[in-house]
Amino acid sequence: MTLYGIGLGPGEGDLVTVRGKEILDSVDVVYSPGRLSRTVALKHVEESKIGDLDFPMTRDEDKLRTAWKAAAEEIAPQAREGDAAFVTLGDPNIYSTFGHLRRTLDAFHPEVEVEIVPGVSAMTAFATALDVEIEAGAGLSLREAANGHAPTGPDRMILFKVTDAPATHEGLVEAGYDVTYGRRLYMKQGETIITDDPSEIDERDYYTLAYAVKRDLNIEPATAKFAVDEHDSEEGEA
Ligand SMILES: C[S@@+](CC[C@H](N)C(=O)[O-])C[C@H]1O[C@@H](n2cnc3c(N)ncnc32)[C@H](O)[C@@H]1O
């Protein structure tokens, strides 16, 4: 049988895909790596269907490997005898814990079939939440900016894990970027904040991303001309 890696989307229960919901309904057990993904999963499945896994809050690689090995040992028999799901926020293949599980299963339980159900990632949800259009022809890069890091280079970037917005902001502004921050976008848990003022989000909150765009970027989509024409004709009427 199968282990499904299901992307739950950014946090609101109704941004789970139809396929994700159908599979959550059909599996025997649903594992989640954290409190938030568990809360979203509970919008769709009974608590009795949630399986428990214990993940230490650590970067120690030995401890992480031990924890993932234990998780795989718990999940593998469930996915052999029936169907199981492992849920993550966003998409399971974008900066996600699911990769650890898949690699560990491949190494120690290669008989387990794995199938992934994509989810609405923060990397797409941000565009609507921040009212940003990535026009045809534009480039967009993904980076991590934990602990005040301020990666630079590409014309436009989405920065994940912005845990020290003031420090990240300083580096980016100095390097010539305009930056907008989005915290807890499409999430019911906690306050959603969209701002270009890092002092409004100086308190650490892991669920924060940033959109950085080079200040001197001059992009003029063909249809931008309509707004100029409209403005000119209004002036003519006055
Ligand atoms: C480990 S990554 C997981 C990304 C996830 N797999 C996805 O596809 O969206 C966690 C980072 O994603 C970003 N993130 C995830 N959900 C978010 C949300 N609802 N609002 C703002 N940022 C979010 C934050 O930068 C957070 O630090």
Side-chain angles (χ1 to χ4, degrees):
M1 308 288 265
T2 304
L3 172 71
Y4 293 93
I6 302 182
L8 294 178
E12 288 179 353
D14 57 356
L15 282 177
V16 172
T17 65
V18 174
R19 186 182 300 183
K21 183 173 172 49
E22 282 171 1
I23 293 176
L24 286 173
D25 280 344
S26 72
V27 296
D28 308 300
V29 56
V30 176
Y31 294 99
S32 92
R35 205 168 40 84
L36 265 173
S37 51
R38 182 189 169 99
T39 311
V40 182
L42 279 172
K43 301 254 178 247
H44 298 283
V45 298
E46 294 289 320
E47 186 142 26
S48 58
K49 214 165 148 172
I50 304 272
D52 278 326
L53 295 173
D54 197 18
F55 288 104
M57 294 294 285
T58 177
R59 290 177 182 212
D60 180 304
E61 294 207 344
D62 283 336
K63 285 191 184 142
L64 278 175
R65 273 193 289 270
T66 305
W68 281 107
K69 213 170 154 194
E73 240 141 62
E74 155 74 27
I75 293 170
Q78 299 284 348
R80 263 195 312 263
E81 287 151 27
D83 285 329
F86 183 91
V87 293
T88 63
L89 284 178
D91 183 277
N93 275 326
I94 311 284
Y95 293 132
S96 167
T97 47
F98 188 70
H100 289 308
L101 179 60
R102 193 171 48 175
R103 280 183 291 278
T104 313
L105 285 169
D106 284 350
F108 297 101
H109 308 276
E111 73 287 357
V112 173
E113 295 269 334
V114 174
E115 194 175 316
I116 294 182
V117 180
V120 177
S121 171
M123 90 178 237
T124 51
F126 95 95
T128 303
L130 273 59
D131 197 18
V132 163
E133 179 189 357
I134 308 298
E135 309 93 335
L140 179 64
S141 303
L142 306 188
R143 294 286 188 278
E144 289 187 334
N147 305 318
H149 284 189
T152 57
D155 287 345
R156 305 164 192 245
M157 300 180 285
I158 307 174
L159 307 174
F160 286 76
K161 305 180 185 174
V162 179
T163 47
D164 184 345
T168 293
H169 195 77
E170 202 180 315
L172 289 171
V173 168
E174 202 168 297
Y177 288 90
D178 287 330
V179 195
T180 311
Y181 299 88
R183 175 165 285 181
R184 298 204 171 226
L185 306 172
Y186 298 104
M187 264 189 188
K188 282 272 184 279
Q189 311 81 359
E191 188 192 359
T192 295
I193 303 176
I194 295 171
T195 181
D196 53 14
D197 177 358
S199 70
E200 281 182 33
I201 51 163
D202 55 1
E203 218 169 277
R204 185 188 194 281
D205 184 328
Y206 181 66
Y207 290 99
T208 306
L209 55 69
Y211 172 62
V213 59
K214 281 226 173 107
R215 211 167 294 135
D216 53 8
L217 207 60
N218 193 9
I219 295 210
E220 189 86 334
T223 42
K225 189 175 181 304
F226 291 148
V228 176
D229 291 348
E230 179 114 331
H231 181 72
D232 286 350
S233 70
E234 271 172 21
E235 276 190 351
E237 276 169 32

